[in-house]
Amino acid sequence: MLCPSIWPLHVNEYIARSYRAYEDFFSSLHPLLQASGQPHCEEPVSLRVSGCDKLYGTHDGATFVCRCSADHCDTVEDFDDSEDGRNSVVYTSSKWEDRMTKETIAIQDIPQYPGIGYNIARVPMASTDFSTHEYSYDDVDGDFDLEHFALTEEDLVYKIPLIQEAQSLSQTEIKLFASPWSAPGWMKTNGQMRGGGMLHGSPGGRHYKTWAKYFARFFQEYEKQGVVFWSLTLQNEPISGLVPGYHFQSMYLGPNVSKEFIKKDLGPAMADRGYGDMKYMILDDQRMLLPGWAQMVLSDPDVTPYINGIAVHWYYDYISSARRLHETHELFPDYFIINSEACTGSTFLEGDDVILGSWERGEQYSYDIIEDFNNWVGAWVDWNLALDQQGGPNWASNYVDSPIIVDSVKDVFYKQPMFYHLGHFSKFVPPGSVRVDISSSRHTDLETLAFERPDGKTAAIFLNRSERSIPIHMTDARGGYICNEVPARGIQTYIW
């Protein structure tokens, strides 16, 4: 299975534009991303890190965000191996009080690095709804040789420098995968990037071969800038392309068309240009489409050599059993599964697009991560690393919430409960970890997840969505016993 890894980032132009707009932004991001210990700026900013500067949110007046500025930002206290003996380190977040507060209880501390360990990112190929406008890399009608293909300002000035900045700050490798939202309008049946439609013709035809070359050119141009990709998905939410008048960039690419496109066009074009080892992920849409989508594609032995994984989105998980993930793994155990997109605030049923301090939205993240990882998912990726206070920018007004909300006027950003919920997994479950069984001797309201880390340590996560604290008595078969309790509406990570 794929190494468990969580990097909730889609690299959009807004984050980079904000970065350029006020130069202290990345200095204040150091507590989040700095892994190397080396400051980004030539003259490093000195930060006070005494703890969360609470700003109570708009949701219920009881929960809060942690306010960060160029002068102050809370950090996650690191592991400490200075004491002898056997200790367990537990990090707690709760609705009313804690944000990854550390305490040590019987077993052993271990060293780690600052930040919360994001290590996988999804990079859009050209524009999405979270761009400031629609754009492709070749808008010249009939340019089948892609003579006019070129990266844009969004790539060269914003996305690529931001990716390189993140890579320079990370102690671990950041895996990048790319996803297109739509081909240029002139290649499509509806004549525009938005509004659904599909490519003209059929796989093997002129438009499909040009679209395959478009993929390869994207990777070539990014590689010229020093950015190399690990994987790709064929199409973001391909089913949305069947919806007439869909309100932002979309394109239909069904399972049968997908497999024909891969083996006739994309696979050969990528191999001819030196990307034969690129990992392809199919679907990139809701898990309710599994296992059927995978069965239709992976039943063809001519296409399977190109495919390594399956990508799913979380938006209808509440009506689609995680059993579908388990069934898919049972049918195709050699293919990894990742969650490639998630966000809250995307529907009117969820209330305001952005809710500062919503603990419930953080709980939704943790619950889905635990459910996914317990059903063979190997990575979980959020939609946006950071958005503005409206939940954008978004040219289609499709505003949503984000783990980090930026107030560029006040030169501060807010770390939402979602950020800390993600950190309970990403900081303590590094790539190479393997999920292990964790079971209860009686019925419990806790959601649980455990991993054996590459260093031989064990990480266990407990989520309590109930209104009462729950005692735990945890025994490791290798020896050792922990007695503690998970606070009401709380999440804890144990490492020993």
Side-chain angles (χ1 to χ4, degrees), residues 42-85:
E42 293 182 3
E43 296 182 6
V45 176
S46 176
L47 290 174
R48 301 191 308 275
V49 292
S50 56
C52 176
D53 179 12
K54 296 180 181 178
L55 177 69
Y56 284 87
T58 57
H59 177 48
D60 56 13
T63 57
F64 56 90
V65 295
C66 294
R67 176 168 43 200
C68 297
S69 68
D71 300 317
H72 175 94
C73 194
D74 63 296
T75 57
V76 180
E77 188 177 350
D78 215 353
F79 292 110
D80 182 4
D81 237 0
S82 60
E83 297 183 9
D84 295 329

Side-chain angles (χ1 to χ4, degrees), residues 11 59 115 148 174 181 230 248 306 365 386 426 476:
V11 180
H59 177 48
H148 299 277
I174 297 174
W181 266 243
W230 159 74
F248 56 84
Y306 297 105
Y365 271 32
S426 61
D476 188 328

Side-chain angles (χ1 to χ4, degrees), residues 12 32 71 87 122 134 142 170 228 249 257 267 348 387 439:
N12 62 29
L32 313 184
D71 300 317
N87 301 301
R122 186 182 187 212
E134 290 180 89
S170 178
V228 178
Q249 298 94 316
V257 176
F348 72 93
L387 293 173
S439 58

Side-chain angles (χ1 to χ4, degrees), residues 226-240:
V227 177
V228 178
F229 283 80
W230 159 74
S231 184
L232 65 85
T233 71
L234 301 179
Q235 171 64 43
N236 174 71
E237 296 184 350
I239 292 298
S240 65

